[in-house]
Structure formats: C-alpha cells, structure tokens
Amino acid sequence: MTLSELQVLICTTGREASRPALIYGARIAHLLGIPAQLLGIEKKGVSTPEEVAALLAEGEAELQKLGVPYQVVLKSGSIEDIVPPETENRPSLTVIPPLERSTLQTWLQGDPLNKLVTRMSQPIFHVPEMKYPMKHILCSVGGLAYASSLFRFCVYLAKASGADLTLLYVIEPANLDEPFIRPVDEPGLSLLDTDTPQGRNLRRMRDEALNAGVDTQIRLRHGIPVREILAQINDADYDLVGVGSPLSANAMRQRYLPNITGMIIQMANCPVVTVRYGFELES
C-alpha cells in the first residue's frame, strides 16, 4: 500500500480523554503529508452532541493550523461498530482515544478494543496522552515472521520523524528442553550471538533499520512478555510503542497474545500502535 492511498482517521467520542488523540492524529497527518478525516461519534450516555461538536472544532483548528486537508464526519453509535467500516471505505491510519467502559459493560458487550483490533487490517494508534514529537520509539518484536510488518512500519515512522528505534525481544521461560524454544541456555551467551532463528531475525532487523538511516538498538529481557514489555516502557521515556496485532500470531500463540496486546495498550502511559501482519507501506 502506498502512502497516497491512506488518510488519518481521527476519532473523538466527545469526552475529555479524546483530546490527546485529536492533537496527535493531526500531527501524524502533518508528519506523513496525508489528509485526515475527523470522525465525531455520538453515543447516548457517553457524551452530548455539544461535547462532540466542541472537540471536533478543536480538531479542526489544529488541522487548519498545520495546513492538513481534512473532512468532518459525524455518526451515532459505538466506536467499535462505526470505525471498521470507515477504514474499509478508505484505508486509514486510525487514531483512537481510550475507550472508557465499565467492567459490567465490557463483560456484557465484550472488549471494544479487542473488537477494533480484530476487525481492522490497518494500523491503529491508541492515544491515552499526548507525546509528540516522536524522538524515541519502542518496537516489541516478540516473534519471527509475523513481527515484520510492525517492524517496518516503526522504521518508517522513525525515519519520517527522526526518532531512534529500540527493538525489544523478550526471552520467555520455557519448560521444554528444545533449542528453538530455549535459544539461550549457556551463561554469558547473548541471543544475538546465536545462530537461532530469533538471533538471525534480530540481527537482520537491526541491520535493515540501520541501513534505512535509523539509529537502532536492541534490548533483550527475560521473563513473562507482558511484564517485561511494560517494565521496558517504564524504564525509558518512549514517545511511541509498537506491538503486534493479536491476529499476527501463529496458532500456538493466539491463546494468550491478544491479552498481551490488550494489556499493553490499556496500561502503557504513551501512545501505542498495533500493526497486523500483512500491512506493508511502500517507500
């Protein structure tokens, strides 16, 4: 997919928590030089039409200030039902605010964030707070081939913004004495020094990013993936975190990867972008 085929779809539900997503989406559109669509979503019990209109006006003002071409669309319903068809009509980099739902609502209706990630094939930026410009990007490459789309999109953003890139790989505990599952079992031996698929893939990604002109480093952590990813986020001041979509995982990992992705999105204190395997942005 070429950049000219895309727009930035910026969503607001009228709540105060939507404001960072509006500003962030405008900055992403400006950074990439593509148009934007402001999508105001009215839902009874969530916000009033006046609140949605007020935030849309703020989004328009930001886009006008940056000189980004845009259109405004207003719809009624839930964000998880409205947004996916919009991205089918026009391929989009979608920017969403935190989806504030009670535990009871989530239990009765399902997790709206998982519904969005499951139904959308293009990248989604979840923006709980404003962190811009992008100077430091963390890309969690917790897999082999399925992490390639996420990695290349993070490289694209890093190159466009002048950010540096950290590739994070979490070496998980394993009970099976199998070299593929336990890539490092000798004291002092780094995964990057091994001829395992993981080691070769990490070296390839590092070299590819460096060849693209992106300052890149690799961080290895040992432990439970969600804990270690969150720990790495908390250890450094990242402006954006990239994680794989649940549907990027192979069959063995699908049982728990959706929870990892959802927990990172919900708990990270910075914008998080999810990218499904198969999305490729041409240079």
Side-chain angles (χ1 to χ4, degrees), residues 10-11 16-25 28 94-99 113 124-132 239-240 265 268-273:
I10 309 170
C11 307
E16 182 67 22
S18 295
R19 183 171 278 110
L22 287 173
I23 307 303
Y24 192 87
I28 291 293
T94 302
V95 182
I96 62 171
L99 305 182
L113 190 57
I124 305 170
F125 292 84
H126 179 266
V127 184
E129 63 179 65
M130 183 65 183
K131 295 198 75 172
Y132 200 89
D239 303 303
L240 178 68
I265 293 172
N269 58 358
C270 64
V272 176
V273 62

Side-chain angles (χ1 to χ4, degrees), residues 88-111:
E88 291 172 6
N89 294 332
R90 173 73 186 270
S92 304
L93 305 178
T94 302
V95 182
I96 62 171
L99 305 182
E100 302 167 282
R101 302 289 171 84
S102 68
T103 303
L104 179 60
Q105 286 176 313
T106 299
W107 183 75
L108 291 173
Q109 303 170 8
D111 186 342

Side-chain angles (χ1 to χ4, degrees), residues 107-122:
W107 183 75
L108 291 173
Q109 303 170 8
D111 186 342
L113 190 57
N114 276 347
K115 288 182 179 180
L116 280 174
V117 173
T118 300
R119 294 179 60 188
M120 295 169 63
S121 60
Q122 296 131 31

Side-chain angles (χ1 to χ4, degrees), residues 140-148 168-170 197-198 201-202 205 253:
S140 177
V141 290
L144 298 175
Y146 75 77
S148 61
L168 173 64
Y169 184 86
V170 178
Q198 296 95 327
N201 195 51
L202 283 169
M205 287 191 291
R253 296 176 63 90

